[in-house]
Amino acid sequence: MTLLPKDTPGDTDWFVHDRFGLFIHWGIYAAAARHEWVKKYEEITDEEYQRYFDHFDPDLYDPRAWARLAKQAGMKYFVVTTKHHDGFCLWDTQLTDYKAPNTAAGRDLIKPMVQAFRAEGLKVGFYHSLIDWHHPEFPIDSVHPQCNDEEFLKANQDRDMSKYAEYLHGQVRELLTNYGKIDVLFPDFSYSGRPGTELLAPGKGKDDWQAEKLIEMVRELQPGIVINDRTEIPQDYVTPEQMQPHGWVTRDGEPVIWEACHTFSGSWGYHRDEYTWKSPEMLIQMLIDSVSKGGNLLLNVGPNGRGEFEPRAVARLEAVGEWMRLHSRAIYGCTQSEFDAPPDCRYTQNGKRLYLHLFAWPYRNVYLPGLGGKIAYAQLLNDASEIKMIDTSKVGSGGGKWLSSLGADTVILDLPVQKPNVIVPVVELFLK
Ligand code: GLC
């Protein structure tokens, strides 16, 4: 049975159709090149962290090249970190000096990015950090870089969260007013579900940054926008992070719209010395797996300090793009199938077209229980070559002694011995 999540306030039609987006984590932490949480992990003070601000000089930044790569990879939307937890702003905000125009970049880095991605036909999304390790009024919580500094902690009593909330709301207003239509808002950082973070948390998170009021403003400024639930108020979709759920994601037993977000290598921001990179095969399988469970995939790149996607990222985007060139109709507009896929496979489905994604190439035959009498035609998607079938609902036990244990509801596909030369082969099944 195909699941259908309930309607939500935002316009999610395009979102559940398009399925695949690019996440971009970029900021002055790219200069440190060892995780976007480097300030926290190394307990770096504002004074020391200033060196990344002073040396951030993305002289090779070419957002049109980024947008082209994303489009070629088959991505239909992008979500960029306007501000991450370190508080650095990529756009020309009027509310702080801690922004790209005041670095060697000398300009608003968001504006040309939005223009470039829109020009390639991608929808636009903004990630925005709810917490802030630079703003003087943001209280020191248990994830703050200086939370172990007794002296620093004393200053907490003078910090006024309501002033920070005003700043936060003001910045979100700028972002949703000055850059045209914004399709996605990805506020980030929920305290709940992170054991220990509540301890020093200034309050209950969502009350502190006045999430309800924030969302009200966002909906007023950008009526169709799609918003995640990380303010801790359920909105349009949920965002499992760096994991693949075991099935369609639910909340209170109800299916919801969801999007898995993943890194290439573990860190979201550029990390020079990280070697735990996922293979193109794994990335493609994650995309398929998400759609087979009714979800999206937001795949992250962390551009480096010169403003480029590094070769390891480019190679993976290109490999995914080559697969998508041949197989995107098994992704766009598809969702979880009404049928259960056989071992080592996933199904995605779009109406009468059922896509069998083969994660392991079997020897000649793959058995599709429950499909007897239901398939009109089958072909490999990469080259539209026919795949012959035996339908046990037609041949019954007369099909020979080998088939007798299968029952009368199975389709047996007769695959070539050689795996087609694509990373994940797909058989397109036309349902009657
Ligand atoms: C987390 C992390 C963060 C990353 C994000 C992406 O909340 O704090 O560094 O931006 O998830 O989903």
Side-chain angles (χ1 to χ4, degrees), residues 64-75 309 314 317-318:
R64 279 169 308 185
W66 296 10
R68 272 196 301 273
L69 275 166
K71 186 184 179 165
Q72 277 163 15
M75 291 154 161
F309 290 7
V314 173
L317 289 172
E318 285 174 351

Side-chain angles (χ1 to χ4, degrees), residues 239-284:
T239 57
E241 179 177 316
Q242 308 242 43
M243 54 92 68
Q244 286 300 111
H246 70 277
W248 196 308
V249 180
T250 57
R251 188 174 44 221
D252 305 327
E254 297 281 336
V256 288
I257 296 174
W258 67 273
E259 173 199 67
C261 51
H262 280 278
T263 60
F264 283 131
S265 62
S267 157
W268 300 88
Y270 176 62
H271 196 317
R272 184 192 59 205
D273 299 333
E274 195 164 58
Y275 296 103
T276 42
W277 282 67
K278 298 169 187 81
S279 65
E281 182 184 35
M282 198 179 275
L283 297 165
I284 291 166

Side-chain angles (χ1 to χ4, degrees), residues 260-325:
C261 51
H262 280 278
T263 60
F264 283 131
S265 62
S267 157
W268 300 88
Y270 176 62
H271 196 317
R272 184 192 59 205
D273 299 333
E274 195 164 58
Y275 296 103
T276 42
W277 282 67
K278 298 169 187 81
S279 65
E281 182 184 35
M282 198 179 275
L283 297 165
I284 291 166
Q285 290 183 351
M286 278 163 26
L287 171 61
I288 296 163
D289 186 65
S290 297
V291 180
S292 79
K293 293 166 180 166
N296 286 22
L297 175 68
L298 188 65
L299 187 56
N300 179 76
V301 67
N304 65 25
R306 294 198 70 184
E308 286 204 313
F309 290 7
E310 61 163 306
R312 292 176 291 189
V314 173
R316 280 161 180 79
L317 289 172
E318 285 174 351
V320 173
E322 177 53 16
W323 185 85
M324 281 294 278
R325 188 178 71 79

Side-chain angles (χ1 to χ4, degrees), residues 376-398:
Y377 187 74
Q379 62 179 8
L380 275 173
L381 185 50
N382 61 289
D383 65 353
S385 59
E386 183 180 9
I387 294 293
K388 290 191 161 183
M389 316 176 271
I390 300 173
D391 189 329
T392 62
S393 72
K394 290 193 189 129
V395 296
S397 53

Side-chain angles (χ1 to χ4, degrees), residues 7-195:
D7 274 352
T8 63
D11 167 18
T12 55
D13 288 354
W14 70 268
F15 187 78
V16 299
H17 176 274
D18 289 353
R19 293 299 187 205
F20 191 26
L22 177 70
F23 213 172
I24 300 177
H25 275 67
W26 199 36
I28 54 176
Y29 45 75
R34 47 185 197 276
H35 207 287
E36 78 285 354
W37 275 58
V38 61
K39 194 177 188 198
K40 159 73 182 169
Y41 290 162
E42 299 179 15
E43 302 191 357
I44 302 177
T45 61
D46 276 344
E47 296 72 47
E48 291 169 87
Y49 200 72
Q50 182 62 25
R51 77 173 88 123
Y52 304 127
F53 187 94
D54 294 342
H55 294 95
F56 182 66
D57 182 9
D59 60 329
L60 300 179
Y61 175 49
D62 177 3
R64 279 169 308 185
W66 296 10
R68 272 196 301 273
L69 275 166
K71 186 184 179 165
Q72 277 163 15
M75 291 154 161
K76 295 285 196 183
Y77 60 104
F78 86 110
V79 178
V80 60
T81 52
T82 48
K83 177 193 86 165
H84 203 261
H85 307 333
D86 67 359
F88 175 74
C89 301
L90 279 179
W91 80 104
D92 191 11
T93 170
Q94 300 309 299
L95 301 176
T96 179
D97 293 336
Y98 204 51
K99 57 179 178 181
N102 293 338
T103 65
R107 63 197 187 284
D108 182 322
L109 296 172
I110 292 291
K111 193 153 267 174
M113 203 186 300
V114 167
Q115 280 163 356
F117 278 82
R118 261 196 210 121
E120 291 291 348
L122 279 84
K123 294 209 159 46
V124 179
F126 287 159
Y127 166 111
H128 196 75
S129 177
L130 297 164
I131 61 175
D132 195 309
W133 300 333
H134 179 266
H135 196 279
E137 300 294 350
F138 187 80
I140 320 235
D141 59 13
S142 61
V143 290
H144 193 285
Q146 269 71 58
C147 72
N148 295 320
D149 179 335
E150 296 285 312
E151 274 310 298
F152 209 88
L153 271 176
K154 283 189 198 146
N156 240 358
Q157 64 207 34
D158 305 322
R159 293 183 172 227
D160 181 348
M161 186 57 148
S162 66
K163 286 196 186 136
Y164 171 72
E166 204 178 301
Y167 170 78
L168 171 72
H169 290 214
Q171 288 207 317
V172 172
R173 178 178 287 281
E174 283 182 350
L175 287 165
L176 300 185
T177 307
N178 300 335
Y179 298 87
K181 182 166 187 285
I182 305 304
D183 305 284
V184 176
L185 184 67
F186 195 118
D188 180 42
F189 204 75
S190 321
Y191 287 109
S192 66
R194 297 185 191 240

